[in-house]
Amino acid sequence: MVRQPAVAGKFYTGDPARLRQELAEMMPQGEAQKAIGIITPHAGYVYSGKAAGKVYAAVRVPDTVLILGPNHTGAGVAAALAPENEWLTPLGPVPINRRLSQLILDNAPLVREDPLAHRFEHSLEVQVPFLQYRNPGVSIAALCLALPDFPSIAQVGEGIARAIAAYGEEVLIVASSDMTHYESAAAAKAKDDQALARLADMDPEGLLKVCREKNITMCGVIPATALLVAAKIMGAESCRLVHYTNSGEVNGDSRSVVAYAALMVY
């Protein structure tokens, strides 16, 4: 089975040569650092590509990457693992890492293979061209998450950590998330600072709690929470903000923005 691109030509260009050029422009040259995970946005590249590019440029992309994304469509199970053999983008096919995928199934009982959750979901797909550009030999496992509460998210995060330990090779975890949606730039920044403080403190339960209690519309809070749970077990001690921006910096409208943050967990 091959997952066809759902948002090529919409969230990013479907032209391979232009896509390579845009990715090169979004990723500044610099020294890449080993990390356990990153949090990176998933809007159209014209809006969030600069933030995503900065964190992808700053991180070493190993041969195996686990992508965690939120479920925007409502389709499929609450913890859906991509079952395909490969994902196609304009840059070519990316193999699904069957060994890591099976280890996740073995170690995270809430996870099920389910193509429905992934079929039209953009939050994971838009990460793949960045990964291909940084490491043409990359393979991925992909989890689309809509878990209801911290215990279930923590259970999946713990299972991910066990699966990666059993895998025995370097794995980068990518959590896909935008920040506050459709508020003024100033209001979004005030809310997002509260979520970013929980991330800086490596506090997964606090992150989920503050987003839900303060109505912070961080759409990937579930993937980010799962990343923090897994990363702490894997020895992570720091979460550093690489870049923060919002759509108003592109379209000039600061009255109603979507905000974007890129962070590195190491």
Side-chain angles (χ1 to χ4, degrees), residues 27 30-38 52-62 131 134 170 172-174 240 242 263-266:
M27 283 184 266
E31 190 170 343
Q33 174 184 348
K34 181 179 178 181
I36 289 172
I38 60 173
K54 285 192 174 184
V55 76
Y56 275 113
V59 71
R60 190 172 87 196
V61 175
L131 296 168
R134 292 284 287 111
E170 185 180 353
L172 176 70
I173 306 172
V174 174
R240 175 173 66 87
V242 175
L263 305 101
M264 188 178 297
V265 181
Y266 56 96

Side-chain angles (χ1 to χ4, degrees), residues 69-209:
N71 187 327
H72 288 90
T73 68
V77 299
L81 185 71
E84 294 87 359
N85 294 320
E86 59 185 23
W87 280 26
L88 192 63
T89 82
L91 301 184
V94 176
I96 289 287
N97 190 300
R98 299 310 312 170
R99 185 163 73 89
L100 179 59
S101 294
Q102 186 59 51
L103 286 166
I104 291 169
L105 289 170
D106 293 343
N107 286 278
L110 292 178
V111 174
R112 299 280 185 274
E113 284 195 322
D114 184 358
L116 288 178
H118 291 275
R119 187 175 177 189
F120 299 113
E121 178 56 54
H122 66 276
S123 66
L124 299 100
E125 178 183 327
V126 298
Q127 309 302 338
V128 180
F130 283 100
L131 296 168
Q132 286 176 287
Y133 186 86
R134 292 284 287 111
N135 181 352
V138 74
S139 68
I140 63 170
L143 267 175
C144 188
L145 301 175
L147 298 158
D149 51 36
F150 183 73
S152 60
I153 299 167
Q155 189 178 333
V156 169
E158 290 159 6
I160 287 168
R162 288 193 297 270
I164 291 173
Y167 186 70
E169 299 174 34
E170 185 180 353
V171 176
L172 176 70
I173 306 172
V174 174
S176 181
S177 183
D178 296 339
M179 299 300 291
T180 289
H181 291 59
Y182 311 127
E183 299 192 35
S184 72
K189 179 71 163 56
K191 284 189 169 183
D192 289 340
D193 280 347
Q194 298 175 74
L196 294 170
R198 300 283 71 76
L199 285 161
D201 288 344
M202 299 287 292
D203 179 6
E205 188 168 12
L207 173 65
L208 185 68
K209 185 177 181 183

